[in-house]
Amino acid sequence: MAAGELTQAHRPGVFKQKNKQHKHGKHRTKGETERENKGRVPVKTISKKQRKEQKRLDRRHKARQLRCNKKDAVLTEKRHLGGKDGPPHLVAVIALHATVKVQSVMRLLQSDETGILHENIGDLPGFGFTLPRFKQRLIFTSPNTADLHAILDIAKVADTLLFVLDSTEGWDSYGDYTLSCLFAQGLPSHALVTVGFSDVPVKKRTEARRLLNRLVEVRFPDSRLFSLDSAQDSILLLRHLVSQKQRKLFFRSRRPYLLAQHATFQPGPGALGTLQVSGYVRGQPLSVNRLLHIVGHGDFQMSQIDASRDPLILKHVENRITKGGDVEMQDNDTLDTMDEHVRVLMKADPTRQESLQSEAEVDPMEGEQTWPTESELKEAEDALHEKKKLFKKVPKGTSEYQASWILEEDEEGEEESGEDESSEADEQMQYEDILEEVDSQEGNLSEEEEEEEEEEEDEAEEVSAATDNCRVKLYDEKIDEQEEQEMLERYKQARADEMFPDEVDTPMDTPARIRFQRYRGLKSFRTSPWDPKENLPPEYSRIYQFQNFERTRKRAFAFAEEEPEGAMVGWYVTIHVKDVPSTVIESFHEGQPLVLVSLLPHEQKMSVLHMLVRRHPGNSEPIKSKEELIFHCGFRRFRASPVYSQHTSGDKHKMERFLRCDMPVVASVYAPVTFPTAGVLVFKQRANGMQDLVATGSLLNSDPDRVIVKRIVLSGHPFKIMRRTAVVRYMFFNREDVLWFKPVELRTKWGRRGHIKEALDSKLTAIAPCSEGTTSKQVPVGVAVNLTEIVQRALKSGPGSAEQHTRTADDSA
């Protein structure tokens, strides 16, 4: 190397071998990690909350504190009911037997010497009772036992139901019917009382009590049966009522509600006026800007809320008994001088008050389409006149006009690949023989039918003459023959639908392609696509639809619990309800209970409600789809014509023509939105005004996009079975219908699938099964065509509206 020449150092390349470091068996410590990071913190660590790990003792203390907080909340709620800061304990006395007298029970409850009786508590039938010993206030009321709606309305707001039983029979048939309705609606806390055990002989009392307890255990397995024959029994019963555990009803615990104790009506300039209702606020705080629903009458707005003097004040012990030991009786005149103690709590703010609008406003120009341009019309005309080129195998020298008359045979694919020309010729000969056989059979059948008709006419004359003579003896004059005939026809239809579900006879006087033109063929009911927004009528935009119903429900309940202002629970207030018809105060003066409930956001809007109902075992009358019924859903009561469908998890649900007895179904109606959960009672009104309970269940959700599909099956009878084909008749009655339904896939009751090959005659169809193997004589017992039609538009109107329809509404509105 020459002197002064620079040397170049060797640098390793990218392929230089790199040996693994020695694993010394320990991980990096926290200190080493902090020194390497030099204060840098990952982004995920900054964004996450720093969770401090607690020690075992701290975790035990935290769990104990949570348990204590829950226990204190339960005790506070229990002491709040009936106390000085809460609403009085509302007890509804209901007789379950015709021989039981409720007034005797009320007198025995008033005979308690440890409490103070308040006879005048307003227009509500009943009395108030204060127990200074237990620091409790109670209100006893008794609805009209003959009015089932009054019992159900009182049970919606009562804290405890006091059932009065007969000492020997317990309850009668009407009492059992009432219990069925109450259990379906939602039963609050209850107590069982029997009256008249003192009249039973001493030797038979033990046996009578044992039999009665056995009867009661069927409906109330964990309840205690009390006797009420003396003042001592009434003390024990009152102690049980104020100390028993309260059962929560979800549909009322999230909403403010009130039972009217006093009501007045001030007529307005028109047919409407202002209704002033006084009572105790229950459930949640009541806001004047919310809408108010009067059970059985509709939705209204409030103008103001006043604070009135409480007519049921809990006094001290020394002021309740005189020197002689007599019970102090009070006749409060508080309601007469109510105006002297009125203090306005809050007035409605028009800018914040909710609207009564239940239907969406429809813009008729919203769905307008622009007129097509000249170029678009020209393109459409060219496309219409454009002829599609068809390639056919024709003899040489055939013109285009002659080729158009040559029909191209359908290719049968792999199934007929093994068939040769001889088999086709044989089948053709068989078809000709079949046509001759059909003609001969039809001639014979026509002669036999004529003879049978003549015999039937002779028999009908004899039977009709015999029935006319004994009709007066067999039937009562009050029986409506037309109604009986309609009921018999319904029973026949329900029986036929149960035995042959969805099967429809092809009409002989009308072409099937016209009669069933609204239907479409589905290859698979479960997997075939169906757009829920398809072919909706224009009125469907008048009802509301939520983007996420469950999220809207949670927001509404959270908003109700966090109500910043309003009348608190337990306050005795007077509510001013505006624009109320006079029929409300008239029904209240007739003895009907007046129940008011504050609505949650969006609960005044019309939508499609789906309710899961099950047929009541005590009713066997056939209930047809779209028949008008009476619904009790939560606090609401309305009439509607439901459409029944199967309760499945798919995106399409098959319509049921009748309310099934063996399975629960989903009833879909147009009705105001109600957030679940809520009990559902379904009644049917008779011609004489009586109502029968036909179904019970619960509210599912509100979803206008639920696709309810009506399914029909056109069935035929196999006439001739061959090796790979079968001839079916009585499915269609003209050749055009056979060609019209040719693309629809067919199936047999044994699962064999196929399609229509050709029309042999106006009544015969050749069917080629698609399943593997030859056609067995056991397979084509019945060949069916599955056709379906959407029936969303079949829903009828709900309360206060004609046909309502859907629109998307943001749930945050």
Side-chain angles (χ1 to χ4, degrees), residues 707-724:
V707 179
I708 303 174
V709 177
K710 185 178 182 180
R711 177 175 175 262
I712 64 170
V713 175
L714 303 180
S715 58
H717 183 74
F719 178 75
K720 191 72 174 180
I721 301 169
M722 288 166 285
R723 185 166 175 265
R724 291 187 179 275

Side-chain angles (χ1 to χ4, degrees), residues 22-29 32 35:
H22 176 65
K23 296 181 180 179
H24 44 74
K26 66 178 181 178
H27 300 287
R28 293 181 300 172
T29 61
E32 292 177 356
R35 285 193 297 269

Side-chain angles (χ1 to χ4, degrees), residues 78-84 87-89 115-116 129-138 238 241-243 312-315:
K78 184 177 180 180
R79 293 166 183 166
H80 189 67
L81 178 63
K84 62 177 182 179
H89 195 117
I116 303 174
F129 209 70
T130 57
L131 299 173
R133 178 182 177 183
F134 301 109
K135 299 180 180 179
Q136 290 287 321
R137 300 182 297 170
L138 295 95
L238 291 174
L241 293 177
V242 299
S243 62
L312 200 63
I313 301 176
L314 189 63
K315 294 187 176 182

Side-chain angles (χ1 to χ4, degrees), residues 390-435:
L390 300 176
F391 298 94
K392 298 180 180 179
K393 293 182 180 180
V394 296
K396 189 176 181 180
T398 306
S399 64
E400 183 180 356
Y401 175 77
Q402 294 173 343
S404 62
W405 289 93
I406 299 176
L407 298 178
E408 185 180 7
E409 296 182 358
D410 296 336
E411 297 181 359
E412 298 297 334
E414 297 180 358
E415 292 182 357
E416 297 184 357
S417 60
E419 296 183 0
D420 51 3
E421 296 179 358
S422 60
S423 62
E424 294 179 358
D426 295 341
E427 288 185 1
Q428 187 66 26
M429 294 176 63
Q430 290 179 359
Y431 292 156
E432 295 176 359
D433 297 338
I434 289 168
L435 293 175

Side-chain angles (χ1 to χ4, degrees), residues 87-320:
H89 195 117
L90 182 60
V91 181
V93 184
I94 301 174
L96 297 180
H97 200 278
T99 60
V100 174
K101 296 182 180 179
V102 179
Q103 298 301 327
S104 62
V105 177
M106 304 285 270
R107 285 194 296 269
L108 285 172
L109 291 172
Q110 295 176 11
S111 62
D112 185 12
E113 299 179 355
T114 61
I116 303 174
L117 179 65
H118 302 261
E119 293 183 346
N120 187 10
I121 57 172
D123 301 329
L124 186 69
F127 62 92
F129 209 70
T130 57
L131 299 173
R133 178 182 177 183
F134 301 109
K135 299 180 180 179
Q136 290 287 321
R137 300 182 297 170
L138 295 95
I139 294 179
F140 290 90
T141 182
S142 177
N144 184 10
T145 310
D147 190 355
L148 182 61
H149 290 304
I151 296 176
L152 294 176
D153 291 343
I154 283 290
K156 292 173 183 177
V157 297
D159 299 314
T160 302
L161 298 181
L162 184 61
F163 295 116
V164 185
L165 282 66
D166 185 65
S167 58
T168 56
E169 298 181 3
W171 53 73
D172 54 8
S173 58
Y174 183 74
D176 186 74
Y177 175 71
T178 305
L179 288 177
S180 300
C181 297
L182 291 174
F183 272 98
Q185 177 179 266
L187 193 66
S189 301
H190 54 272
L192 303 177
V193 171
T194 178
V195 181
F197 257 115
S198 58
D199 300 335
V200 180
V202 179
K203 295 182 178 180
K204 296 183 179 180
R205 287 182 186 178
T206 305
E207 183 66 18
R209 180 175 288 276
R210 186 178 63 83
L211 294 176
L212 190 59
N213 286 331
R214 183 181 299 177
L215 176 65
V216 167
E217 286 179 356
V218 177
R219 287 279 191 179
F220 307 95
D222 300 329
S223 298
R224 177 185 173 186
L225 184 61
F226 290 87
S227 299
L228 189 62
D229 294 324
S230 61
Q232 186 67 26
D233 295 337
S234 65
I235 295 175
L236 295 176
L237 178 60
L238 291 174
R239 181 179 297 174
H240 174 73
L241 293 177
V242 299
S243 62
Q244 70 172 345
K245 183 180 180 181
Q246 295 296 315
R247 299 180 61 182
K248 277 191 174 183
L249 297 180
F250 186 83
F251 71 91
R252 76 179 186 185
S253 62
R254 300 294 184 92
R255 298 173 176 86
Y257 60 94
L258 178 144
L259 177 64
Q261 295 186 209
H262 179 70
T264 57
F265 185 76
Q266 296 180 358
L272 305 178
T274 302
L275 180 68
Q276 298 181 7
V277 182
S278 301
Y280 293 94
V281 180
R282 302 172 184 270
Q284 298 291 334
L286 178 63
S287 175
V288 72
N289 295 319
R290 291 291 166 198
L291 295 180
L292 198 68
H293 175 74
I294 301 178
V295 176
H297 299 282
D299 303 338
F300 304 95
Q301 289 180 334
M302 293 179 283
S303 58
Q304 72 179 36
I305 299 178
D306 300 336
S308 304
R309 183 178 177 183
D310 194 342
L312 200 63
I313 301 176
L314 189 63
K315 294 187 176 182
H316 297 288
V317 180
E318 56 269 12
N319 296 332
R320 58 186 171 86

Side-chain angles (χ1 to χ4, degrees), residues 124 132 191 242 250 480 506 535 539 622 627 696 738-739 770 810:
L124 186 69
V242 299
F250 186 83
D480 190 355
T506 305
N535 294 334
E539 293 84 7
E627 185 177 352
T696 59
V738 177
L739 299 178
C770 297
D810 188 5

